[in-house]
Amino acid sequence: MTLDLALFWIPAAVALVATGFVITRKNAAHALIYLVVSLLSVAVIFFVLGAPFAAALEVVIYAGAIVVLFLFVVMMLNLGNTSVMRESRWLRPGMWVGPAILVSILLITMVYVIVGLPDANVTKGEMVGPKAVGNELFRPYLLAVELAGFLLLAALIGAYHLGRRYLEQRREP
């Protein structure tokens, strides 16, 4: 296996493992933390494939803003005396070993890719305009960006239904 293939397959394997943990975790907060790891690994894949802008969008918009918002909503829904005991279990160091290992693998891969790549695409003094950014994002990677949008839409609908069911159960005496 060549080095280029390894730089693709390592984040792909991390994404698969993290996504498997998203599906199998019973605790919603843990599942969302693994979802952040999965989205970060997809960002690494975008970067390795030569789409640094799509990778930055994946990190800033999806992993950074939206999933953190979901995490805060899930944490706010877990109010009450039982949530205090649950949070004390969440703060144990053993709960963070899995995400920490997967993110460390991604970090090592990203550092290697960034350090090993020459700066051939940007010449001195060249400005990148909005048209170039749009072409870079929407021409070759349109399908990937749209699929990520559908994933977020599905997560939003799922969060709405989970929250609605929880509120309906709290209203019933």
Side-chain angles (χ1 to χ4, degrees):
M1 182 184 307
T2 66
L3 184 60
D4 292 337
L5 282 175
L7 290 176
F8 172 81
W9 286 108
I10 290 171
V14 170
L16 288 174
V17 169
T19 304
F21 284 143
V22 169
I23 295 169
T24 59
R25 298 298 101 179
K26 292 180 181 177
N27 188 321
H30 294 166
L32 284 171
I33 290 169
Y34 279 110
L35 181 61
V36 170
V37 173
S38 176
L39 291 172
L40 288 175
S41 60
V42 170
V44 171
I45 292 171
F46 278 139
F47 190 83
V48 168
L49 290 176
F53 186 70
L57 284 178
E58 185 81 21
V59 170
V60 171
I61 295 173
Y62 298 142
I66 295 174
V67 174
V68 170
L69 177 68
F70 285 154
L71 187 60
F72 283 128
V73 168
V74 166
M75 291 173 132
M76 285 186 343
L77 290 177
N78 291 329
L79 300 175
N81 291 335
T82 58
S83 68
V84 173
M85 293 186 327
R86 192 176 308 142
E87 285 181 26
S88 66
R89 287 193 314 249
W90 292 349
L91 295 176
R92 288 184 299 168
M95 296 304 231
W96 297 91
V97 171
I101 290 171
L102 294 175
V103 168
S104 299
I105 292 170
L106 289 175
L107 180 65
I108 291 168
T109 305
M110 279 299 294
V111 167
Y112 181 79
V113 168
I114 290 172
V115 171
L117 288 179
D119 215 8
N121 293 337
V122 179
T123 59
K124 234 180 188 180
E126 180 181 324
M127 296 294 289
V128 178
K131 183 177 180 181
V133 170
N135 284 338
E136 180 71 24
L137 177 63
F138 290 114
R139 277 201 182 146
Y141 304 105
L142 178 63
L143 181 61
V145 172
E146 290 298 324
L147 287 175
F150 280 121
L151 173 69
L152 287 171
L153 178 63
L156 178 66
I157 292 169
Y160 168 74
H161 285 292
L162 286 174
R164 189 182 72 186
R165 186 178 343 141
Y166 175 77
L167 290 175
E168 288 173 358
Q169 288 174 355
R170 285 188 64 169
R171 287 184 193 149
E172 295 175 3

